[in-house]
Amino acid sequence: MRKFRFKKWMRMILWMIIVVGVIIIGCNVIIAWKTSGKCYDEVADIPANKVGLVLGTSSELQNGRPNLYFVYRIRATVELYRAGKIKYILVSGDNSTQDYNEPQDMKDALVAKGIPANAIYLDYAGLRTLDSVVRAKLIFGQDKFTIISQRFHNERAVYIAGWHDIKAVGYNAKDVTVSMGLKTRVREWLARVKVFIDLIIDKKPRYLGETIQIPS
């Protein structure tokens, strides 16, 4: 009897693993498929938009070294701006504590690269990708813009944008090596499942607030 029950539980666990695996793979495949042709690697190929939305990340790793995700996103943003593919830059990230300010760090890095400060707008409440994308529309009045991050992140952000009636394309910043970004890649697979959960429950940004106008 015990042996029978053990086999039964093992079959149930195996089926659960299979179902979870299918869901994870399915969510990832759908997002990659639906955003195919909307994420660009070359400046010359991407259509121009008034605003480029840079998705936030920390400027440094926990060990104090520069965060290459941050470095490469700044570099990609500068490329787009200098090529005339974007006119204004909206940097959106986490500023949930006084001593952690992703948007300001990104602005400082962009200004250091020669981007005019008056061309940069800051969204301090971009706590999640969904918040950054939806707030760009609801707070900053943009329903068409270029998202700037690494490809895996851009695909998810562009997919979220489409669900919220936003016409978005992505410009892919250089990615980090597989060994350096393995943890991020694993987290991304799970984040894509969360995208569909958020869409089903109609998840809203944590914070909204007064609108901010970006000039024409």
Side-chain angles (χ1 to χ4, degrees):
M1 180 64 72
R2 289 181 179 178
K3 187 176 181 180
F4 174 78
R5 288 180 178 175
F6 176 76
K7 288 183 177 180
K8 182 179 179 182
W9 277 106
M10 288 301 295
R11 283 197 297 269
M12 289 178 61
I13 293 172
L14 179 60
W15 274 110
M16 287 177 63
I17 292 173
I18 292 173
V19 170
V20 171
V22 169
I23 291 173
I24 293 174
I25 293 172
C27 291
N28 278 266
V29 169
I30 290 171
I31 287 177
W33 172 50
K34 288 293 188 179
T35 58
S36 177
K38 297 180 180 179
C39 297
Y40 297 80
D41 294 311
E42 301 296 333
V43 174
D45 297 334
I46 192 169
N49 274 321
K50 184 179 79 171
V51 173
L53 170 64
V54 193
L55 299 178
T57 187
S58 59
S59 60
E60 294 182 349
L61 302 175
Q62 290 183 343
N63 59 16
R65 293 180 179 177
N67 180 0
L68 291 182
Y69 287 115
F70 179 96
V71 173
Y72 295 150
R73 290 180 200 181
I74 296 299
R75 183 183 300 174
T77 305
V78 173
E79 289 172 352
L80 284 180
Y81 185 84
R82 288 178 177 171
K85 295 292 185 171
I86 53 175
K87 185 177 180 181
Y88 296 100
I89 299 166
L90 174 59
V91 290
S92 180
D94 187 352
N95 179 216
S96 54
T97 63
Q98 271 191 329
D99 56 352
Y100 187 76
N101 194 334
E102 290 177 355
Q104 188 61 53
D105 289 344
M106 295 168 81
K107 179 179 180 180
D108 292 344
L110 289 167
V111 171
K113 293 289 186 180
I115 305 299
N118 61 6
I120 305 171
Y121 288 78
L122 279 65
D123 179 7
Y124 297 104
L127 304 180
R128 301 173 55 211
T129 303
L130 181 144
D131 296 57
S132 294
V133 171
V134 177
R135 282 176 55 83
K137 178 179 181 179
L138 298 182
I139 302 301
F140 294 88
Q142 306 304 308
D143 57 8
K144 183 176 181 289
F145 48 81
T146 299
I147 300 172
I148 305 163
S149 188
Q150 278 68 31
R151 174 179 282 276
F152 67 86
H153 198 186
N154 278 341
E155 289 178 343
R156 174 159 54 95
V158 169
Y159 187 82
I160 292 171
W163 268 91
H164 291 274
D165 296 321
I166 298 168
K167 295 179 181 178
V169 294
Y171 182 58
N172 303 324
K174 181 180 178 180
D175 209 342
V176 305
T177 61
V178 174
S179 59
M180 291 185 64
L182 181 59
K183 185 186 295 185
T184 301
R185 295 297 182 85
V186 172
R187 189 164 61 240
E188 177 65 22
W189 278 73
L190 300 177
R192 292 188 176 197
V193 177
K194 185 66 164 55
V195 165
F196 289 92
I197 296 173
D198 289 343
L199 294 175
I200 291 170
I201 65 175
D202 195 22
K203 183 80 171 181
K204 305 295 185 185
R206 187 176 301 180
Y207 302 108
L208 288 175
E210 296 182 3
T211 57
I212 299 172
Q213 185 175 3
I214 297 178
S216 300

